[in-house]
Amino acid sequence: MPYNVDWMKKYRGKSRLVARPKTTRQISQILKYCNENKLPVVPQGGNTGLVGGGVPVFDEIVISTNNMNQIRSFDPVSGILTCDAGCILEVLDNYLAEQEQGYMMPLDLGAKGSCHIGGNVATNAGGLRLLRYGSLHGTVLGLEAVLPDGTILDNLSTLRKDNTGYDIKQLFIGSEGTLGVITGVSILTPPKPKAVNVAVLGVSTFQNVQKALVTSKNKLSEILSAFEFWDSDTLKLSKAHNIQGTKFPLEDNYPFYVLVEISGSNKYHDDDKLQNFLEELLANEIVKDGVVAQDETQMSTLWSLREGIPEACSKAGAVYKYDISIPLSVFYQLAEDMRNRLQSAGVFGEDNLVSNVIAYGHVGDGNLHLNIVAKSYDPKVTNLIEPFIYEWTEQHNGSISAEHGLGLMKANYLKYSKSSSMISIMKQIKQSIDPNGIMNPYKFLPTQ
Amino acid sequence: MPYNVDWMKKYRGKSRLVARPKTTRQISQILKYCNENKLPVVPQGGNTGLVGGGVPVFDEIVISTNNMNQIRSFDPVSGILTCDAGCILEVLDNYLAEQEQGYMMPLDLGAKGSCHIGGNVATNAGGLRLLRYGSLHGTVLGLEAVLPDGTILDNLSTLRKDNTGYDIKQLFIGSEGTLGVITGVSILTPPKPKAVNVAVLGVSTFQNVQKALVTSKNKLSEILSAFEFWDSDTLKLSKAHNIQGTKFPLEDNYPFYVLVEISGSNKYHDDDKLQNFLEELLANEIVKDGVVAQDETQMSTLWSLREGIPEACSKAGAVYKYDISIPLSVFYQLAEDMRNRLQSAGVFGEDNLVSNVIAYGHVGDGNLHLNIVAKSYDPKVTNLIEPFIYEWTEQHNGSISAEHGLGLMKANYLKYSKSSSMISIMKQIKQSIDPNGIMNPYKFLPTQ
């Protein structure tokens, strides 16, 4: 049963039952029954998660939102969209683009073609547009959700502002299916920019990556919509597993690459700002070389350099994916420390247990994706990486999960990012809302 | 004792004890003692609230954050500020403006010279910049708070992204002191715009106000930073109680006025966009007349038209202040229906019980401030307004509190904006975190 396995084939359950309800009422009936009979359940959206949060661990019943995919309403004056939880992110984005005054979803991520908006909200997905449009805690205006006892929380507000009582929906944003099933989402969508452009820059030091970020805030300001980075090892890996035939526009090799995207309402003004930005970077020797897309095709090509990384990784072997928030001053040090550690242990190098340690991610948000490519998921390798990486992150005041969530992978490592009093109040809330513990067990909160 | 009375002099308690702690630890000790002895407390910031949420009802102990006013840290690369809860909003804004690369607070409101950031967070304050920078649910990155039993929740994260566990701080944002005392705030601040300008427009119909809003999203887009409105009765009242000697720039009278603010990084580009916007409005006869500020003084003058309204009101008599979110299609109808209702009851008119019903507010956010000026707070008037206004709001799918909160004023009206299942889960959370009910009693959640 495909519902048992995550897309990386890293997590595998043994469920024999999947429910595919079409209505909120059906979900309510299913949960009420499961709760009364103490049957554990796993809510599942597009099954694109990276931490094993959306598949069963044992024989939990899967509740899929596949059949809940209707757009409920859209208001073209306010830009507020209301839809079922099972709507696919890209489908929503296309729907908004087709409106007379075009709009777009405030989030975008690699899995957009499969992931569900309900899953996005349940995991507080971040992605490529967070830098500009903020997190789902700000853009989600209302939720409809079903509690474990079958109660339907009808909080599907379409108001921008509403200060009446505790903001209960916020508890569900990022709760990874442990408090109930999200069935409907109301979200504020921004107007689709009339002009978009992309530049890729070659940079010699990580300090200069930081300087480029500060310069972009200063010179691009309100039109800056993405600031992504990857290192030279990432590019090497992408080239080696170049599935899509991507061309690599910069001739020389650089230790670091930065992708800057701008989105605005006036192409003439935006190009002018981009020009000023690039001139300042070159004049101050912050970047060595850069290329600006000349048309939509080149824009896609430049974005594919960044968006193709996860796929290139997964072609290269078994991938250990880490998703860390850390202060920029120590942002890249983790990659170097990890390479040194694996080197010292004699497991790192071509044809060795670990072939690649690559770093990329949303540097504009302080979010590093550290991917470690191994021959296979090997306990020897795992034990060299974990809990080292979590301890390192704790020591540098980071978060062990910036945007991927905890799931099964990191439930027992929560203590590296949250104090015991924080974990205690989380457990108290879980206990209060799901006293029988039927919702997505063994995940999210520590079991040890 | 001034701590007993709110600034409107509408709510008055009889407390004989105020605590003015200097540290989070002291607050922890006070709460622990109060909780063990079941002594109710009221957290109080700048005491600028509008719904009686920050003053005692009876003899509750006041815990003031007046003495907790230190800035803890600021990172000029990320723009993340960490400070004590008792810092005054304007002080923080000035501090950020003085940084080498200027920053500013993501919120701004009339009470900025007195209100505390802790109170802003506890009430989820909205204000003038929400349209551009979003709500505190998106910009607050971390909180330090003390629970009723004295437990210190150390969640003062300075990370933009952190998906590790339930986002507990969100429960405290807008909880109005009913779950604990907020003692520290970490917040993402945007770069201070290099260019700001303001225009005031005269508009004939409310439908054209809506059209102007859609046009502003389209033409001003990423530089739009405020879209405010007031009606002709508001202007009449402001002129009659013109304390600051404000000049009124438009010659004719119009039924509606709109203030548009733009904030960007390039004055030349921004002026160009503003010009295009105004031309489109005039060409399509959406506005009748308009004036654009030519310098900083004129900008302040135009803003004072909007910001002076509450003060003019309070000079005119006893003010019933309502703060409603409603869909734009029925936005102004409430003012008309209210006038008709008071007229029919024979209480409305010059020298009558009610002299003014004025409408103004953050129309760009769907947030109406309806102020009713009366000779005094008279039960006859009150009963004509309430619950009529709440029923009206419910019928039009609005919220009875967009940004002011519930406090004492609206605790028992919560049912007009939230379902019984929503109220029930709120009570469950309150009971779980504050089982002795010592935190800000009689407010926020319904007692009837």
Side-chain angles (χ1 to χ4, degrees):
Chain A
M1 196 172 84
Y3 298 90
N4 271 317
V5 190
D6 77 313
W7 73 271
M8 296 182 298
K9 300 193 168 47
K10 189 175 170 191
Y11 301 95
R12 196 177 292 266
K14 289 174 185 166
S15 179
R16 296 174 61 191
L17 186 60
V18 55
R20 303 198 301 171
K22 288 186 175 162
T23 66
T24 300
R25 184 151 297 281
Q26 286 174 348
I27 292 194
S28 164
Q29 288 162 341
I30 293 166
L31 283 183
K32 190 167 188 293
Y33 178 85
C34 290
N35 194 47
E36 280 166 4
N37 294 280
K38 297 197 169 60
L39 299 170
V41 302
V42 184
Q44 188 177 97
N47 195 10
T48 62
L50 293 165
V51 291
V55 289
V57 178
F58 299 110
D59 62 350
E60 303 94 292
I61 296 165
V62 178
I63 300 181
S64 163
T65 50
N66 262 327
N67 285 327
M68 296 189 65
N69 48 25
Q70 300 300 306
I71 289 169
R72 300 193 192 178
S73 71
F74 178 69
D75 175 4
V77 175
S78 63
I80 295 167
L81 171 78
T82 308
C83 65
D84 287 352
C87 289
I88 288 171
L89 180 59
E90 195 170 44
V91 171
L92 296 173
D93 210 43
N94 290 340
Y95 169 85
L96 293 170
E98 286 159 13
Q99 300 300 306
E100 196 181 311
Q101 302 237 14
Y103 283 85
M104 69 176 191
M105 293 298 284
L107 78 162
D108 183 23
L109 49 155
K112 63 182 164 232
S114 316
C115 63
H116 294 186
I117 187 66
N120 295 150
V121 172
T123 57
N124 189 30
L128 302 164
R129 291 178 187 158
L130 188 135
L131 179 73
R132 172 73 165 266
Y133 300 106
S135 87
L136 292 170
H137 287 288
T139 51
V140 170
L141 300 179
L143 288 182
E144 180 188 83
V146 183
L147 298 182
D149 68 0
T151 302
I152 297 171
L153 284 185
D154 45 347
N155 187 209
L156 210 49
S157 165
T158 56
L159 302 166
R160 179 90 196 251
K161 293 161 84 170
D162 178 19
N163 276 355
T164 53
Y166 301 126
D167 198 350
I168 298 297
K169 70 169 182 289
Q170 300 287 357
L171 276 182
F172 286 81
I173 300 174
S175 64
E176 301 184 26
T178 60
L179 296 178
V181 179
I182 293 171
T183 53
V185 175
S186 147
I187 189 164
L188 182 70
T189 72
K192 195 174 169 65
K194 294 191 193 72
V196 178
N197 211 346
V198 173
V200 168
L201 316 169
V203 190
S204 299
T205 64
F206 192 77
Q207 207 179 358
N208 278 340
V209 173
Q210 291 183 67
K211 283 185 187 168
L213 175 61
V214 172
T215 310
S216 75
K217 283 191 179 188
N218 193 23
K219 292 281 171 184
L220 299 174
S221 305
E222 68 274 10
I223 63 165
L224 180 65
S225 55
F227 194 100
E228 300 285 314
F229 108 110
W230 56 91
D231 65 3
S232 61
D233 283 6
T234 304
L235 187 67
K236 214 180 292 171
L237 186 78
S238 287
K239 282 186 174 171
H241 299 272
N242 184 7
I243 313 120
Q244 296 162 332
T246 302
K247 283 177 192 133
F248 296 92
L250 299 181
E251 283 188 9
D252 284 326
N253 284 320
Y254 301 95
F256 301 99
Y257 297 86
V258 164
L259 180 149
V260 173
E261 186 193 69
I262 55 170
S263 307
S265 59
N266 183 314
K267 185 168 165 49
Y268 175 79
H269 295 166
D270 298 354
D271 285 349
D272 197 28
K273 289 189 178 91
L274 184 59
Q275 192 63 33
N276 285 338
F277 167 65
L278 294 174
E279 276 166 16
E280 171 129 342
L281 290 182
L282 289 165
N284 294 333
E285 296 184 10
I286 294 171
V287 305
K288 289 288 181 182
D289 194 7
V291 58
V292 178
Q294 298 304 315
D295 55 36
E296 285 216 8
T297 312
Q298 287 185 20
M299 248 166 54
S300 305
T301 303
L302 294 182
W303 261 120
S304 73
L305 288 176
R306 167 65 184 85
E307 295 198 287
I309 297 169
E311 197 181 345
C313 266
S314 59
K315 297 278 167 184
V319 189
Y320 291 87
K321 285 179 173 291
Y322 298 95
D323 164 48
I324 309 284
S325 271
I326 22 175
L328 285 181
S329 53
V330 295
F331 194 85
Y332 195 68
Q333 196 189 314
L334 176 58
E336 288 164 342
D337 288 0
M338 182 61 77
R339 285 186 194 116
N340 289 338
R341 180 177 170 84
L342 297 173
Q343 195 100 54
S344 305
V347 301
F348 186 42
E350 223 175 311
D351 296 324
N352 207 328
L353 286 181
V354 174
S355 59
N356 289 278
V357 175
I358 68 165
Y360 63 98
H362 317 295
V363 66
D365 306 317
N367 180 185
L368 174 72
H369 292 320
L370 189 78
N371 285 11
I372 299 170
V373 185
K375 275 193 181 153
S376 61
Y377 296 117
D378 181 326
K380 187 176 171 190
V381 174
T382 312
N383 292 334
L384 277 166
I385 304 172
E386 301 174 18
F388 168 77
I389 191 166
Y390 301 125
E391 288 165 356
W392 192 100
T393 304
E394 182 184 27
Q395 279 157 24
H396 294 85
N397 300 312
S399 164
I400 63 161
S401 172
E403 60 177 15
H404 292 173
L406 298 166
L408 183 63
M409 181 184 179
K410 288 178 262 186
N412 286 321
Y413 299 115
L414 180 54
K415 65 179 177 192
Y416 291 105
S417 285
K418 288 285 164 22
S419 67
S420 59
S421 62
M422 285 295 290
I423 294 173
S424 158
I425 196 167
M426 287 180 199
K427 287 185 168 171
Q428 200 178 319
I429 281 167
K430 167 76 175 176
Q431 174 65 28
S432 169
I433 294 178
D434 181 23
N436 293 333
I438 66 160
M439 296 305 308
N440 217 3
Y442 324 112
K443 295 162 188 160
F444 196 66
L445 292 178
T447 52
Q448 289 165 12
Chain B
M1 196 174 85
Y3 298 90
N4 271 318
V5 190
D6 77 314
W7 74 271
M8 298 182 297
K9 300 192 169 46
K10 189 174 171 191
Y11 301 94
R12 195 176 294 266
K14 290 174 182 164
S15 180
R16 296 173 61 190
L17 186 60
V18 55
R20 303 199 300 172
K22 288 186 176 161
T23 65
T24 301
R25 184 150 298 280
Q26 285 173 350
I27 293 194
S28 164
Q29 288 161 343
I30 293 166
L31 283 184
K32 191 167 188 291
Y33 178 85
C34 290
N35 194 46
E36 281 165 3
N37 294 280
K38 296 197 168 61
L39 298 170
V41 302
V42 183
Q44 188 176 98
N47 195 10
T48 63
L50 294 165
V51 292
V55 290
V57 178
F58 300 109
D59 62 351
E60 303 93 293
I61 295 165
V62 177
I63 300 181
S64 163
T65 50
N66 263 327
N67 285 327
M68 295 188 64
N69 47 25
Q70 300 300 305
I71 289 169
R72 300 194 193 176
S73 71
F74 179 69
D75 174 4
V77 174
S78 63
I80 295 167
L81 172 77
T82 308
C83 65
D84 286 352
C87 289
I88 289 171
L89 181 58
E90 194 168 47
V91 171
L92 295 174
D93 210 43
N94 291 340
Y95 169 84
L96 293 170
E98 286 159 12
Q99 299 300 306
E100 196 182 310
Q101 303 237 12
Y103 283 86
M104 68 175 192
M105 292 298 281
L107 77 163
D108 183 24
L109 49 156
K112 62 180 165 237
S114 315
C115 64
H116 293 185
I117 186 68
N120 295 149
V121 173
T123 57
N124 189 30
L128 302 164
R129 291 177 187 159
L130 187 135
L131 179 73
R132 173 74 165 265
Y133 300 106
S135 87
L136 293 170
H137 285 290
T139 50
V140 170
L141 300 179
L143 288 181
E144 180 187 82
V146 184
L147 298 182
D149 68 0
T151 302
I152 297 171
L153 283 185
D154 45 348
N155 186 210
L156 211 49
S157 166
T158 55
L159 302 166
R160 179 90 197 252
K161 294 162 85 171
D162 178 18
N163 277 355
T164 52
Y166 302 125
D167 197 349
I168 298 296
K169 71 170 181 289
Q170 301 285 357
L171 276 181
F172 287 80
I173 300 174
S175 64
E176 301 183 27
T178 61
L179 296 179
V181 178
I182 293 170
T183 53
V185 175
S186 147
I187 190 164
L188 182 69
T189 73
K192 195 174 171 63
K194 294 191 193 72
V196 178
N197 211 347
V198 174
V200 167
L201 316 169
V203 190
S204 299
T205 63
F206 192 76
Q207 207 179 0
N208 278 341
V209 172
Q210 290 182 68
K211 282 186 188 168
L213 175 61
V214 173
T215 310
S216 75
K217 282 192 181 186
N218 192 23
K219 292 281 171 185
L220 300 174
S221 305
E222 67 275 8
I223 63 165
L224 180 65
S225 56
F227 193 100
E228 299 286 313
F229 108 109
W230 57 90
D231 64 4
S232 61
D233 284 5
T234 305
L235 187 66
K236 217 179 291 171
L237 185 80
S238 287
K239 282 185 175 172
H241 299 273
N242 183 7
I243 313 120
Q244 296 162 331
T246 302
K247 284 180 191 130
F248 296 91
L250 298 181
E251 286 188 7
D252 285 323
N253 285 321
Y254 300 95
F256 301 99
Y257 297 86
V258 164
L259 181 149
V260 173
E261 187 193 69
I262 54 170
S263 306
S265 59
N266 183 314
K267 185 169 166 47
Y268 175 78
H269 295 165
D270 298 354
D271 285 349
D272 196 28
K273 288 190 178 91
L274 185 60
Q275 192 63 33
N276 286 337
F277 167 65
L278 294 173
E279 277 167 15
E280 171 130 341
L281 291 180
L282 290 165
N284 295 332
E285 296 184 10
I286 294 171
V287 306
K288 289 287 181 183
D289 194 6
V291 58
V292 178
Q294 298 303 315
D295 54 36
E296 287 216 8
T297 313
Q298 287 185 20
M299 248 166 53
S300 304
T301 304
L302 294 183
W303 260 121
S304 72
L305 289 176
R306 166 65 183 85
E307 294 199 286
I309 298 169
E311 196 180 347
C313 267
S314 59
K315 297 277 168 184
V319 189
Y320 291 88
K321 285 179 174 290
Y322 299 94
D323 164 50
I324 309 284
S325 271
I326 21 175
L328 285 182
S329 52
V330 296
F331 194 83
Y332 194 66
Q333 195 189 315
L334 176 58
E336 289 164 341
D337 288 359
M338 183 61 77
R339 285 187 194 116
N340 290 337
R341 180 179 172 83
L342 296 172
Q343 194 102 53
S344 305
V347 301
F348 186 41
E350 224 175 311
D351 295 325
N352 207 328
L353 287 181
V354 174
S355 60
N356 289 278
V357 175
I358 67 165
Y360 63 99
H362 317 293
V363 66
D365 306 318
N367 180 185
L368 174 72
H369 291 321
L370 190 78
N371 284 12
I372 299 170
V373 185
K375 276 192 179 151
S376 62
Y377 296 116
D378 182 325
K380 188 177 170 189
V381 173
T382 311
N383 292 333
L384 277 166
I385 304 172
E386 302 175 13
F388 168 77
I389 191 167
Y390 301 126
E391 288 166 355
W392 192 101
T393 305
E394 182 184 27
Q395 278 157 24
H396 294 86
N397 300 312
S399 164
I400 63 162
S401 172
E403 61 178 13
H404 292 174
L406 298 166
L408 184 62
M409 181 184 180
K410 288 178 263 186
N412 286 322
Y413 298 115
L414 180 54
K415 64 179 178 192
Y416 291 107
S417 285
K418 287 285 164 20
S419 67
S420 60
S421 61
M422 285 295 290
I423 294 174
S424 159
I425 196 168
M426 287 180 199
K427 286 186 168 171
Q428 198 178 323
I429 281 168
K430 167 75 174 174
Q431 174 65 27
S432 169
I433 294 179
D434 181 23
N436 293 333
I438 65 160
M439 295 306 308
N440 216 4
Y442 324 111
K443 295 162 189 160
F444 195 67
L445 292 178
T447 52
Q448 291 165 12

